[in-house]
Amino acid sequence: MSRENEAALYLRLSKEDMDKLCRGDESASIQNQRLLLTDYALEHDFKIVEIYSDDDESGLFDTRPAFERMMHDASLGKFGVIIAKSQSRFSRNMEHIEKYLHHDLPNLGIRFIGVVDGTDTASQDNKKSRQINGLVNEWYCEDLSKNIRSAFRAKMKDGQFLGSSCPYGYIKDPKNHNHLVVDEYAAGVVRRIFQLYLQGYGKAKIGRILSDDGILIPSQYKRRVLGINYYNAHELDTTRNWSYQTIHTILNNEVYLGHVVQNKYNNLSYKDKKHVKQSKEKWIRVLNQHEPIIAEDTFLRVQERQKIRVKSVGSSIMESVFSGILICAECKHAMVRTYDRRGKHPFTGYCCKTYKTQGKKYCTSHAIRHDQLESIVLESIREEAKKILTPEDIQELNKTDYIDGKRKEFANQIRNMEKEILHKTGYKKKTYQNYMDELITKEEYLSYIREYDADIVMLQEHLDRANKEIAEQEALEIQHDKWVEEFKNYINIGELTRNVVLELIDKIEVNEDGSISIFYKFNNPYELTN
């Protein structure tokens, strides 16, 4: 038998075909394609050399595993004919139709036959119809892609989770696969990551802690514990440890607030698999769609803390207590460490970075010893905390009398103004009635109405102002409560830690004479207003 009668059968099932099968249409199945093509080959005296089958692969791309293997075998001359159910099974891409059917295969002396649509490259008469079919098939894919994208965007805007794999800490709801539910074990690890970061540990250090504790990385946890067939393109076979990037991704993922954020990446086109990162304005963010793992204030504190750049030097925890928040009061640049020139050059304190790198022409040293700085900051925190006294004393602070007095004052003002507005409105009605009863003239009526309207406008302005002052007062109360909450545990603080510094202090400026200015994140608002 000549090579012209040696045939390869090509079968392909795509995602859209899977939808048809779900609706009961079995004609597109791999099994039925195999039967159809085998019968055709036997009826036309073709010897079947090999059967190539791609399952769940789009006809737009030529990177299909079986397709690539078939084209390689074709170049080796293993067969002389390729038989498929139709031209669209072979490819739905017009560019590939021209490349393979009208160039590569003819040059290799290989014929292509489409059983159902009558495609046959041995016949020049149906070349135009092959090209038309190629265009129609590509248009079909383009329309299908638009429809799928539109449907996906609608689901995203509805807050439905469309990812193939859930973020670490969540699993898909068995009752609704577009809804996330908390995986308690992994959620505990996520909470621990946030807690460790707020305690001052770096992302790489957190990764080492988790690895040392034998906690599986997310990809392995999904495969070995959850039994998910999960694939991560960035994961190596040797990857066993938690990485900096994994910790960074978890600390910045809004999914842990209960939000669903999607459309972060998109394909260039329906014919290109390359993912393009979308700007944040194009992200689709839907709030409060599932149970949160992390409280919002905790998440926000982590975001703020990440803005502080820290360079790790040495192994001493105390040496890094002030990293990222200590700056020169004059040039506003960071302070850097200084070391004793004698002996083993121990760390002693800090000086201005500009001075150290560019000299006194640009700034002075602003030097301060570490132990001196630590002592001043520790005492300042104690003094700030003492202003609160004890929980029992809080109720006796001037703040209480101040708030109550202001609240009563505003409440009385509002009641009086509301009564006065009602009285003026009543006078207007009586004036109108007097005018209708001809007890007053029209001129008198209009004069009274203008006077009452002016009084009502003025009273309403006073009322709005009083309501605004009450709202401002309530905001002060909230700010005061935050100040109390942050400082009440530090009345008898004995040791200054990185966590305490980051929790309470926004920045510390070192003056030329070595004195410092501490800028706390929280202040007593009633001290500022008095």
Side-chain angles (χ1 to χ4, degrees):
M1 181 177 289
S2 67
R3 179 171 166 270
E4 293 178 354
N5 283 31
E6 293 178 336
L9 308 185
Y10 180 68
L11 325 172
R12 182 178 67 81
L13 192 67
S14 62
K15 292 180 180 179
E16 55 267 27
D17 297 320
M18 294 298 293
D19 292 337
K20 291 180 181 179
L21 291 173
C22 291
R23 295 194 299 267
D25 183 357
E26 294 289 336
S27 62
S29 73
I30 289 291
Q31 182 180 358
N32 282 304
Q33 286 184 52
R34 187 188 300 270
L35 291 172
L36 174 70
L37 301 187
T38 301
D39 287 347
Y40 180 89
L42 294 175
E43 288 177 8
H44 293 80
D45 296 326
F46 288 112
K47 178 186 176 183
I48 300 174
V49 176
E50 186 69 71
I51 298 177
Y52 303 89
S53 177
D54 278 315
D55 200 0
D56 198 18
E57 295 286 345
S58 172
L60 278 173
F61 309 104
D62 58 357
T63 53
R64 293 163 262 158
F67 183 89
E68 288 183 319
R69 186 164 60 87
M70 179 178 69
M71 296 310 299
H72 175 72
D73 290 348
S75 66
L76 298 177
K78 289 189 175 182
F79 46 79
V81 180
I82 295 175
I83 304 174
K85 178 183 176 182
S86 63
Q87 180 178 305
S88 64
R89 291 297 101 188
F90 182 82
S91 177
R92 287 188 181 276
N93 189 319
M94 183 59 194
E95 180 183 344
H96 295 160
I97 293 298
E98 288 298 313
K99 170 180 168 57
Y100 294 111
L101 296 194
H102 298 153
H103 184 268
D104 290 4
L105 292 181
N107 286 344
L108 292 170
I110 295 175
R111 174 186 179 189
F112 175 80
I113 297 174
V115 175
V116 175
D117 57 5
T119 302
D120 190 347
T121 55
S123 171
Q124 287 297 318
D125 295 338
N126 68 9
K127 181 178 180 180
K128 289 182 179 179
S129 65
R130 293 197 297 271
Q131 291 172 328
I132 292 172
N133 284 339
L135 281 172
V136 171
N137 288 329
E138 188 165 315
W139 291 339
Y140 167 78
C141 287
E142 184 176 9
D143 290 341
L144 183 64
S145 175
K146 288 179 180 178
N147 291 337
I148 291 174
R149 286 192 184 194
S150 178
F152 277 7
R153 285 187 67 84
K155 288 185 176 183
M156 288 178 188
K157 289 180 178 180
D158 190 43
Q160 298 184 42
F161 179 78
L162 302 182
S164 57
S165 176
C166 298
Y168 183 71
Y170 288 99
I171 56 175
K172 291 187 177 182
D173 189 338
K175 298 178 181 177
N176 177 5
H177 284 193
N178 296 126
H179 179 254
L180 300 176
V181 293
V182 174
D183 173 8
E184 285 302 333
Y185 172 81
V189 177
V190 171
R191 294 187 190 101
R192 185 182 177 191
I193 290 170
F194 276 81
Q195 290 167 359
L196 288 171
Y197 190 77
L198 289 177
Q199 288 171 12
Y201 291 94
K203 296 170 186 176
K205 177 62 176 176
I206 293 172
R208 289 195 294 273
I209 291 172
L210 298 181
S211 298
D212 290 344
D213 287 350
I215 298 173
L216 293 174
I217 60 175
S219 55
Q220 288 191 356
Y221 176 77
K222 290 177 181 180
R223 287 193 292 266
R224 293 167 58 178
V225 178
L226 299 181
I228 298 173
N229 185 21
Y230 177 76
Y231 171 74
N232 183 348
H234 301 289
E235 182 185 9
L236 302 176
D237 292 337
T238 54
T239 303
R240 295 291 182 273
N241 297 329
W242 287 77
S243 67
Y244 173 98
Q245 187 58 44
T246 300
I247 302 298
H248 176 80
T249 300
I250 288 174
L251 289 173
N252 290 279
N253 197 340
E254 291 181 62
V255 73
Y256 300 118
L257 292 173
H259 310 332
V260 176
V261 184
Q262 299 179 109
N263 200 46
K264 292 183 178 181
Y265 293 87
N266 221 329
N267 288 357
L268 277 175
S269 76
Y270 70 99
K271 295 170 69 174
D272 197 325
K273 290 183 178 180
K274 184 179 179 181
H275 288 301
V276 179
K277 192 173 183 178
Q278 300 286 87
S279 62
K280 286 192 175 183
E281 293 76 25
K282 293 183 180 179
W283 291 5
I284 298 176
R285 179 182 283 102
V286 186
L287 309 182
N288 305 319
Q289 292 301 300
H290 51 263
E291 181 184 348
I293 292 175
I294 301 298
E296 186 172 7
D297 62 332
T298 300
F299 189 86
L300 293 176
R301 282 163 58 203
V302 166
Q303 306 316 302
E304 285 299 317
R305 192 162 295 186
Q306 287 184 91
K307 295 176 183 177
I308 302 175
R309 297 183 62 185
V310 177
K311 184 178 180 181
S312 178
V313 177
S315 59
S316 173
I317 296 175
M318 291 305 296
E319 290 184 10
S320 63
V321 165
F322 301 106
S323 297
I325 65 169
L326 193 63
I327 63 175
C328 172
E330 187 174 343
C331 69
K332 305 302 181 185
H333 284 108
M335 302 286 286
V336 294
R337 291 172 174 80
T338 56
Y339 300 88
D340 195 328
R341 295 182 179 180
R342 296 165 296 179
K344 295 184 179 180
H345 310 295
F347 161 65
T348 57
Y350 309 89
C351 72
C352 172
K353 182 179 181 180
T354 303
Y355 167 79
K356 188 173 184 179
T357 57
Q358 301 180 42
K360 60 184 179 181
K361 180 180 178 180
Y362 297 95
C363 198
T364 55
S365 68
H366 292 71
I368 187 170
R369 290 185 60 82
H370 174 77
D371 54 2
Q372 179 189 4
L373 175 64
E374 183 183 54
S375 176
I376 296 172
V377 173
L378 195 57
E379 184 58 31
S380 174
I381 292 174
R382 288 196 194 106
E383 289 300 317
E384 194 72 17
K386 284 177 183 177
K387 296 175 185 177
I388 302 172
L389 304 178
T390 64
E392 291 75 23
D393 295 329
I394 292 175
Q395 301 302 322
E396 299 174 15
L397 288 172
N398 291 333
K399 170 249 185 181
T400 305
D401 295 334
Y402 180 79
I403 293 173
D404 291 343
K406 281 287 186 181
R407 187 182 286 117
K408 289 176 182 177
E409 179 185 339
F410 290 141
N412 287 332
Q413 288 180 11
I414 289 172
R415 276 197 302 271
N416 291 335
M417 285 185 284
E418 287 175 342
K419 285 181 181 178
E420 194 62 27
I421 289 173
L422 286 174
H423 288 155
K424 296 291 183 182
T425 305
Y427 293 157
K428 282 179 64 176
K429 291 180 181 178
K430 289 179 181 179
T431 302
Y432 177 73
Q433 189 62 46
N434 289 339
Y435 172 62
M436 295 300 294
D437 293 341
E438 298 182 351
L439 297 176
I440 58 174
T441 65
K442 182 178 181 180
E443 289 75 17
E444 289 174 322
Y445 165 71
L446 294 175
S447 176
Y448 287 138
I449 292 299
R450 281 194 294 270
E451 182 181 339
Y452 294 148
D453 283 344
D455 289 343
I456 290 172
V457 169
M458 182 184 66
L459 286 167
Q460 189 62 52
E461 289 176 352
H462 289 322
L463 182 62
D464 292 343
R465 194 176 303 118
N467 282 322
K468 182 180 178 183
E469 289 179 352
I470 281 186
E472 291 173 350
Q473 185 61 41
E474 289 175 349
L476 282 175
E477 290 181 44
I478 293 172
Q479 190 177 344
H480 178 272
D481 290 342
K482 285 184 177 180
W483 172 71
V484 169
E485 187 63 31
E486 291 301 325
F487 281 98
K488 69 181 182 181
N489 296 321
Y490 301 114
I491 295 173
N492 298 312
I493 183 173
E495 180 185 4
L496 195 64
T497 65
R498 174 73 173 163
N499 190 44
V500 170
V501 170
L502 292 178
E503 193 75 32
L504 302 179
I505 299 173
D506 185 44
K507 64 179 178 179
I508 301 173
E509 291 188 354
V510 182
N511 301 307
E512 187 175 2
D513 61 0
S515 63
I516 66 170
S517 301
I518 302 175
F519 296 83
Y520 286 107
K521 291 181 178 179
F522 307 93
N523 292 291
N524 185 349
Y526 297 105
E527 285 186 348
L528 301 177
T529 55
N530 288 339

